Amino acid sequence: SYELTQPPSVSVSPGQTVSITCSGDKLGDKYVCWYQQKPGQSPVLVIYQDYKRPSGIPERFSGSNSGNTATLTISGTQAMDEADYYCQAWDRSTRVFGGGTKLTVL
Amino acid sequence: QITLKESGPTLVKPTQTLTLTCTFSGFSLSTSGVGVGWIRQPPGKALEWLALIYWNDDKRYSPALKSRLTITKDTSKNQVVLTMTNMDPVDTATYYCAHSWGATAFDIWGQGTMVTVSS
């Protein structure tokens, strides 16, 4: 079965830029989306179709996808961005989630 | 405004069948491109996609759980139902339903419902 790999944790200082990776075989051939989940809350979509932002998501969130790796980048990270982030790959038959990355804003 | 809400038992016994209902508003599951999916999350663990049903009744299942899952829709009631057979304690999780459009992401999620599997 298809698998996506994310680093378990990443840390960043407020105001800095952080990238969270998501790796999978030929991931660039699939659409990737990213979700933010804060404790006790439902996930929120922050990036879809590799790089598009839903309405209401700040411009500091951006995404890319090429080869075997997709990346979520948060520029000017704020304390409110501390959360778990999950990537998800979509194609005709695959809708698998990554294992999640805990982002800590120090 | 799109909203979804999950409902069902909070406690099921091992080997029993779980039936969850997702009741939604703000969209129609007869509209081209629209889908509703189910995702679960064991306590402290990652999200796991389970199933997805589209406006045209096309259905997709997680390969790992396909033999245990059935997803159906009732367009007139604005509901999607997920059944999972042969429940086990490892199936203890929060179960979410979510809206999908364009088949590339779950853009709106329900609040989730916690299901515990225990004798």
Side-chain angles (χ1 to χ4, degrees), chain A residues 1 31-33 35 37 41-45 47-49 86 88 90-100, chain B residues 39 41 45-49 52 54 58 60-61 63 96 100-112:
Chain A
S1 62
Y31 278 131
V32 172
C33 58
Y35 303 91
Q37 186 180 33
Q41 298 183 17
S42 301
V44 173
L45 180 67
I47 293 289
Y48 68 102
Q49 290 184 6
Y86 294 92
Q88 184 187 24
W90 285 69
D91 68 8
R92 184 169 179 79
S93 59
T94 302
R95 285 150 188 87
V96 68
F97 286 95
Chain B
I39 305 97
Q41 185 173 38
K45 296 189 178 181
L47 300 170
E48 179 182 19
W49 171 67
L52 177 59
Y54 289 104
D58 187 17
R60 295 284 183 260
Y61 295 101
Y96 297 97
S100 171
W101 185 87
T104 56
F106 292 120
D107 56 351
I108 306 293
W109 293 58
Q111 63 188 26

Side-chain angles (χ1 to χ4, degrees), chain B residues 71-113:
Chain B
I71 190 169
T72 60
K73 63 181 176 70
D74 186 330
T75 305
S76 64
K77 293 184 178 179
N78 282 352
Q79 291 181 334
V80 170
V81 175
L82 180 76
T83 61
M84 179 180 292
T85 61
N86 194 24
M87 293 292 285
D88 183 272
V90 300
D91 297 313
T92 294
T94 296
Y95 287 75
Y96 297 97
C97 64
H99 170 273
S100 171
W101 185 87
T104 56
F106 292 120
D107 56 351
I108 306 293
W109 293 58
Q111 63 188 26
T113 186

Side-chain angles (χ1 to χ4, degrees), chain B residues 3-54:
Chain B
T3 64
L4 305 99
K5 188 172 184 179
E6 307 85 353
S7 60
T10 57
L11 179 66
V12 297
K13 290 180 167 48
T15 75
Q16 286 187 336
T17 294
L18 172 68
T19 299
L20 294 173
T21 300
C22 176
T23 303
F24 55 85
S25 63
F27 67 96
S28 172
L29 201 38
S30 60
T31 300
S32 179
V34 172
V36 172
W38 286 93
I39 305 97
R40 71 178 179 180
Q41 185 173 38
K45 296 189 178 181
L47 300 170
E48 179 182 19
W49 171 67
L50 300 177
L52 177 59
I53 189 166
Y54 289 104

Side-chain angles (χ1 to χ4, degrees), chain A residues 2 4-7 19-24 26-28 30-34 47 50-51 62-73 87-89:
Chain A
Y2 194 80
L4 294 176
T5 302
Q6 298 181 236
S19 294
I20 299 172
T21 58
C22 174
S23 300
K26 299 180 181 178
L27 186 56
K30 308 177 189 297
Y31 278 131
V32 172
C33 58
W34 292 88
I47 293 289
D50 298 340
Y51 63 89
S62 62
S64 64
N65 182 23
S66 179
N68 294 322
T69 303
T71 304
L72 172 70
T73 300
C87 61
Q88 184 187 24

